[in-house]
Amino acid sequence: MEEIQSQSDNYRSSSSSASSPASRIPSSNFFYLRKPGLVRQPISFEDSPEWEDTDIDVRVDESGNSIDAIATPDSPSLLKMNSGSLPSPVLPQGMGVVSRVAGASVVWKELTVTIEGKRKYSDKVIKGSAGYALPGTMTVIMGPAKSGKSTLLRALAGRLPRSAIMHGEVFVNGAKLHLPYGSYGYVERETILIGSLTVREYLYYSALLQLPGFCCQKNDVVEDAIHAMSLGDCASKLIGGYCYIKGLPSGERRRISIARELLLRPHILFIDEPLYHLDSVSALLMMVTLKKLASTGCTLIFTIYQSSTEVFGLFDRICLLSNGNTLFFGETLACLQHFSSAGFPCPIMQSPSDHFLRAINTDFDRIIAMCKNLQDDQGDLSSVNMDTAVAIRTLEATYKSSADAASVETMIFTLMEKEGPVLKSKGKANNATRAAVLTWRSLLIMSREWRYFWLRMVLHMLVALCVGTVFAGLGHSLSSVMTRVAAIFAFVSFATLLSVAGVPAHTKEIKIYASEELNRHSGPLVFLLGQLLSGIPFLFLISVSSSLIFYYLLGLRNEFNPLMYFVLNFFMCLLVSEGLMLLVACFSLDIFWSILTLLSIHVAMMLSSGYFRIRSDLPGPVWTYPLSYVAFHTYSIQGLLENEYIGTSFAVGQVRAISGYQALRGAYEISPDSNAKWENLLVLLVMAIAYRALVFVLLNFRRLGKSNLLSCYPHTYHE
C-alpha cells in the first residue's frame, strides 16, 4: 500500500508541478479514472496547456506536380510545440541529404480490412479509417499493440496477405492505388541482414539486384544512400551478428534496412516500427535522419508504438488507432487539443505518446482493477468505475463530431479531385544479372562464414577418418565383402546425415530471399540458380576431401576411374541432400522442426536402402513402395558397390572363381550390367534437380498467390 501511495505521489508531482496544493486531486488517482457524469473534467491530470484551434491551408499547384500543406498564422506550428513542454532537437547541419525527390500524396477513405481469425472478438482489423499523407512530411500511425497499425500500413502499400479482405479506397496522387516497381519502398519491422558483408557491400549487392546499368553508376547510388542515412562511419564495417562476431548496434542495422530501400529513390517510403528495439539516443538519431529525408520531398508513412517527447515533436501528422478504430487524425498539436477537449489533457511533464497510449490501452484496465482491489479497503476508489473502453468511446465520439474530422474530409476531397503525375515503373536488373549477383554474393558469404561450409567440411573429414580407420586393413578376400558393404553404407549414411548442420544457413538464406522477393528484388528461379551455383564448389570440395580419406583408408580399388566415380557419386549425394534440406526448410522456417524432420527422413531412407534387408525382401507397402525408390542412399550405395565389384572376381579354392556380382548378391542387390553404376548416378542427378524443382514450385506458388513466405508463420507477421 505504501509503495502504491509513493508511486502515485511521484506521478502527481511530475504531472502537476504548476498547480497549487489545494487544487490537487488525491494522490491515489494516478490513472485515467473519472467519476460517472464527469465528461469534460479529468480526475488524474488537473493542469494542462490550452491549445489553440488548428487550421490547415491546402495549396494545390496548378501544374499538378506538388501539393503543399501550410499552417495558417492561427495554427500552432512545431516551433511553438518546441518552445513549450515538447522540446525538439535541432537538426544537425552535417546530416546527409540526398537530392530532392518528387513525393506523392497518399489518401485513404473509409478503409476497412477484414482478416478471418485475426481477432477473437471481431475479424475487422481496421474499421473505416480515413486520412492522408503529403510529400515532404512524416505521417505516423500510432496505437497500442494489436490496434491494427501494421495492417493499415500494409493496406496503404498494397501488401496485405492473401487472407485479408479490404474495403474502401486508397489513392496515390489522385489515382486509384497503383504502386509500380521502384515508386515506393517498404521496410519490415524485422529485416534480415547479411552479417558477413560490410554495410557498403550489402548495399552494393542490393543495388546490383535492383537497378539496371553499369557498376560505376550504382556506386554513386550506394554512396548517396549511405550519406542520406548517416552510415558513413560504419560503411566499411561488417554488419556482424554471425559466427560469434559482434554486430552493429540496432540503430545502425535499422538504418541499413532503410538505406536499402532508398537505392531506387522512391516517392513514398513505408516503414513498420522504425524505432523497434532502439534505445532513446538511437531512436532520436533515427527520427532526425528520417526528418531530413522527408525534407527532400519523400512521403514518409510509418508506424510507431511509443516515442519520447523530442521524437514526438518531429512528427507532422498522427493517425491514432485503438482496436482498429481511428480516434484521431491530424496534426500532432491538434491531437493534444483533441484529448484535452475530450477530458484527457496531457500533463506538462509527460510525453504525449505516453499520455495517448495510457488513455487508450486496454491493458491498463488490469492494473486499475488491481489498484482498486488493493485500495478498496480504505475506500479510496470505491466510487470510480470509468475504464479504458469508455475513454476510447469518448475520444472516438469527440473526434467524429469535431472540426478536425471535417477538415480531414475536406482535405481528402481536395486531394482526390486533383490528380498529380502518374507514378511510373523504374528499370530493374534482368534475371541473368540477378542470378550472377546472387551467386557471387553467396560465394562471398560462404567463404567468410566458417560455420556455413568450412565446419561441415571438417566434420565430413572426421567422419571419413573415423569410418575409414574402423574398417581399415580389410584386404580383398571374399570374406571382406560383407564388411566392405557395411563400411560403404556407414560412410554414405553418416556423411549425408551431417548435412543437417547446414539447416541454419539454409533457413537464413530463405529468409533473406523472402525479404528481397517481397520488395521484388529477387525471384524463385534466380534464388535457386544462385544457391545451386554458389554451393557447387564447396560441396565438391567437401566430397573430394572426405572421399579421398575414406577411399584410401578402406583400401578400395587402386585405379583412377573408380576413384573419380566414388568422388562424383558422393558429390551427387550431397547435392540431393542439400535439395532435400532446402525443401524442408521452405516448409518450416523453424530450425528445430526442420532438423527433426530431416533426421526422421534420413533414418527412414537408411532403413529402406537395402542394407539391413535386401530390397526384394522388404515389405511391399511403404518400405518398398515408395521409400526404397525415393531413398537416395539406395542408388548411391548400389553405384559405389557396382563401381567396386563389377568386373572383379574372387578365387574359391584352387580352380574355381566367382564374379564380384555373385559374391555380393547375398549381401546387397546390384545389377550385373557394367553401365548400371552410371544409371544410378543419373538417378541421383535427377533427384537433385527434382528437389529443387519442388522448391521452385512451392516458392512460385506462394509468390503468385500473393502470400509471402515469412507471412506463412505466425511469429513473423505483426499487426
Side-chain angles (χ1 to χ4, degrees):
M1 192 68 189
E2 294 178 357
E3 181 181 356
I4 296 177
Q5 184 72 20
S6 174
Q7 291 178 354
S8 62
D9 289 339
N10 294 336
Y11 185 87
R12 178 177 54 81
S13 63
S14 64
S15 62
S16 55
S17 57
S19 56
S20 61
S23 64
R24 289 178 181 173
I25 303 298
S27 60
S28 59
N29 299 339
F30 63 97
F31 294 105
Y32 285 89
L33 303 174
R34 295 182 295 172
K35 293 182 179 180
L38 298 180
V39 179
R40 294 292 181 182
Q41 181 181 0
I43 283 183
S44 56
F45 304 119
E46 61 276 6
D47 90 319
S48 60
E50 296 293 334
W51 306 102
E52 300 176 4
D53 292 336
T54 303
D55 298 323
I56 303 296
D57 182 18
V58 180
R59 299 181 183 178
V60 182
D61 189 0
E62 295 299 330
S63 62
N65 293 328
S66 63
I67 303 175
D68 299 326
I70 304 174
T72 61
D74 295 333
S75 64
S77 63
L78 290 177
L79 293 177
K80 181 177 179 180
M81 181 191 296
N82 298 339
S83 64
S85 63
L86 300 174
S88 180
V90 179
L91 300 180
Q93 297 295 329
M95 186 69 65
V97 182
V98 298
S99 56
R100 290 198 61 82
V101 177
S105 64
V106 180
V107 174
W108 62 99
K109 181 180 179 183
E110 296 298 326
L111 193 64
T112 300
V113 179
T114 303
I115 303 178
E116 186 176 355
K118 192 65 178 177
R119 297 281 192 270
K120 293 182 179 179
Y121 46 86
S122 174
D123 290 336
K124 290 185 177 180
V125 183
I126 303 295
K127 307 169 186 177
S129 178
Y132 59 89
L134 300 178
T137 63
M138 295 198 306
T139 303
V140 59
I141 304 172
M142 183 181 289
K146 297 185 179 180
S147 61
K149 303 185 298 295
S150 297
T151 302
L152 177 57
L153 191 72
R154 286 187 172 90
L156 298 180
R159 295 162 69 104
L160 287 172
R162 184 173 49 182
S163 59
I165 301 174
M166 187 180 78
H167 300 284
E169 297 175 310
V170 180
F171 296 87
V172 178
N173 278 351
K176 283 291 186 68
L177 176 63
H178 175 64
L179 295 173
Y181 176 79
S183 63
Y184 78 102
Y186 192 99
V187 183
E188 293 283 352
R189 183 180 303 183
E190 294 182 0
T191 304
I192 307 298
L193 302 178
I194 304 176
S196 54
L197 300 179
T198 65
V199 175
R200 183 173 282 106
E201 287 173 342
Y202 176 75
L203 295 177
Y204 179 69
Y205 284 115
S206 296
L208 291 176
L209 291 173
Q210 299 179 47
L211 300 170
F214 299 101
C215 296
C216 58
Q217 298 173 342
K218 297 174 185 179
N219 281 328
D220 296 336
V221 173
V222 169
E223 294 303 322
D224 288 343
I226 291 174
H227 193 52
M229 294 309 297
S230 305
L231 294 169
D233 293 339
C234 60
S236 299
K237 296 180 181 179
L238 289 174
I239 296 175
Y242 76 100
C243 297
Y244 309 107
I245 294 179
K246 184 178 179 181
L248 292 175
S250 299
E252 279 76 2
R253 298 174 70 89
R254 203 76 179 101
R255 280 184 278 137
I256 292 170
S257 62
I258 297 175
R260 186 187 70 173
E261 300 305 315
L262 294 181
L263 297 173
L264 284 172
R265 299 191 64 199
H267 305 284
I268 309 168
L269 186 59
F270 301 95
I271 310 176
D272 193 3
E273 293 282 2
L275 308 185
Y276 189 58
H277 284 170
L278 299 188
D279 56 50
S280 57
V281 176
S282 300
L284 181 58
L285 177 58
M286 170 67 76
M287 295 312 302
V288 170
T289 305
L290 292 179
K291 188 69 175 179
K292 293 293 289 183
L293 179 63
S295 67
T296 65
C298 183
T299 304
L300 265 64
I301 306 175
F302 54 88
T303 63
I304 199 171
Y305 175 75
Q306 203 169 13
S307 69
S308 64
T309 304
E310 293 84 357
V311 169
F312 184 83
L314 297 174
F315 302 152
D316 294 306
R317 290 176 187 83
I318 181 173
C319 177
L320 192 62
L321 298 178
S322 179
N323 295 328
N325 298 301
T326 302
L327 304 185
F328 179 80
F329 181 87
E331 288 191 345
T332 50
L333 283 178
C335 186
L336 291 168
Q337 182 184 5
H338 167 65
F339 269 73
S340 180
S341 301
F344 298 94
C346 181
I348 294 178
M349 299 301 292
Q350 188 177 13
S351 168
S353 65
D354 290 341
H355 174 73
F356 298 156
L357 294 178
R358 196 167 184 181
I360 65 177
N361 195 342
T362 55
D363 291 337
F364 278 105
D365 289 340
R366 291 178 296 178
I367 304 176
I368 295 172
M370 181 181 66
C371 292
K372 288 173 66 176
N373 293 334
L374 291 174
Q375 299 183 17
D376 273 344
D377 296 338
Q378 297 182 359
D380 292 339
L381 293 174
S382 58
S383 62
V384 178
N385 59 6
M386 187 69 172
D387 58 9
T388 308
V390 178
I392 293 174
R393 290 196 296 269
T394 303
L395 289 167
E396 186 178 6
T398 304
Y399 172 68
K400 289 182 178 180
S401 61
S402 66
D404 296 311
S407 64
V408 170
E409 292 182 2
T410 303
M411 186 65 172
I412 290 175
F413 178 78
T414 304
L415 295 174
M416 291 172 57
E417 286 294 315
K418 186 67 176 180
E419 292 191 8
V422 179
L423 302 183
K424 298 180 179 180
S425 178
K426 299 181 180 179
K428 57 183 178 180
N430 55 52
N431 287 337
T433 302
R434 287 180 170 181
V437 171
L438 288 177
T439 301
W440 185 254
R441 187 180 72 178
S442 297
L443 284 171
L444 184 61
I445 295 171
M446 294 175 188
S447 64
R448 290 181 179 178
E449 297 193 15
W450 57 269
R451 288 189 302 183
Y452 206 119
F453 269 108
W454 302 117
L455 180 60
R456 289 174 59 186
M457 185 176 71
V458 173
L459 292 177
H460 278 84
M461 293 172 66
L462 286 176
V463 167
L465 183 64
C466 293
V467 177
T469 52
V470 167
F471 292 95
L474 291 179
H476 294 277
S477 63
L478 182 61
S479 60
S480 67
V481 172
M482 296 289 292
T483 311
R484 284 181 188 274
V485 174
I488 292 176
F489 170 80
F491 173 72
V492 172
S493 300
F494 295 150
T496 53
L497 190 61
L498 281 178
S499 297
V500 298
V503 168
H506 282 286
T507 302
K508 186 176 181 180
E509 272 190 340
I510 295 173
K511 289 181 178 180
I512 293 172
Y513 156 75
S515 176
E516 293 177 340
E517 191 274 333
L518 194 59
N519 290 333
R520 291 181 280 183
H521 302 163
S522 182
L525 181 60
V526 170
F527 164 70
L528 288 174
L529 283 176
Q531 195 272 341
L532 175 62
L533 295 176
S534 60
I536 284 177
F538 292 94
L539 291 177
F540 190 74
L541 185 60
I542 291 176
S543 62
V544 170
S545 58
S546 55
S547 296
L548 289 177
I549 294 174
F550 175 78
Y551 196 89
Y552 285 107
L553 283 177
L554 194 62
L556 298 178
R557 294 173 63 179
N558 191 18
E559 300 176 22
F560 180 76
N561 289 339
L563 173 61
M564 288 298 99
Y565 179 86
F566 192 99
V567 172
L568 193 58
N569 183 291
F570 186 59
F571 170 70
M572 286 299 173
C573 276
L574 294 180
L575 273 183
V576 175
S577 183
E578 291 287 309
L580 177 62
M581 185 162 42
L582 197 62
L583 180 62
V584 172
C586 282
F587 275 104
S588 174
L589 292 180
D590 187 273
I591 295 177
F592 172 78
W593 288 111
S594 295
I595 293 178
L596 188 62
T597 303
L598 282 170
L599 288 175
S600 303
I601 293 174
H602 274 270
V603 169
M605 288 183 174
M606 289 163 59
L607 290 174
S608 60
S609 62
Y611 170 72
F612 297 101
R613 192 173 182 183
I614 296 177
R615 287 178 64 188
S616 58
D617 296 335
L618 286 172
V622 180
W623 293 107
T624 301
Y625 306 100
L627 275 181
S628 66
Y629 285 90
V630 299
F632 64 89
H633 303 72
T634 304
Y635 306 100
S636 176
I637 296 172
Q638 277 184 355
L640 293 177
L641 291 177
E642 289 163 353
N643 179 62
E644 179 67 19
Y645 288 107
I646 297 299
T648 63
S649 61
F650 296 91
V652 180
Q654 298 295 328
V655 295
R656 185 169 172 261
I658 62 173
S659 65
Y661 169 73
Q662 292 175 325
L664 197 63
R665 185 170 51 184
Y668 205 90
E669 189 176 283
I670 64 172
S671 172
D673 188 0
S674 59
N675 294 322
K677 66 178 184 180
W678 299 108
E679 294 175 1
N680 287 317
L681 194 65
L682 180 61
V683 172
L684 290 175
L685 177 61
V686 171
M687 294 181 71
I689 297 174
Y691 280 129
R692 285 165 175 81
L694 290 175
V695 175
F696 172 78
V697 171
L698 179 62
L699 296 178
N700 206 45
F701 174 77
R702 287 173 173 168
R703 182 175 66 91
L704 295 178
K706 297 182 180 179
S707 176
N708 180 251
L709 187 66
L710 294 180
S711 65
C712 298
Y713 305 95
H715 65 278
T716 57
Y717 179 73
H718 307 278
E719 301 179 56

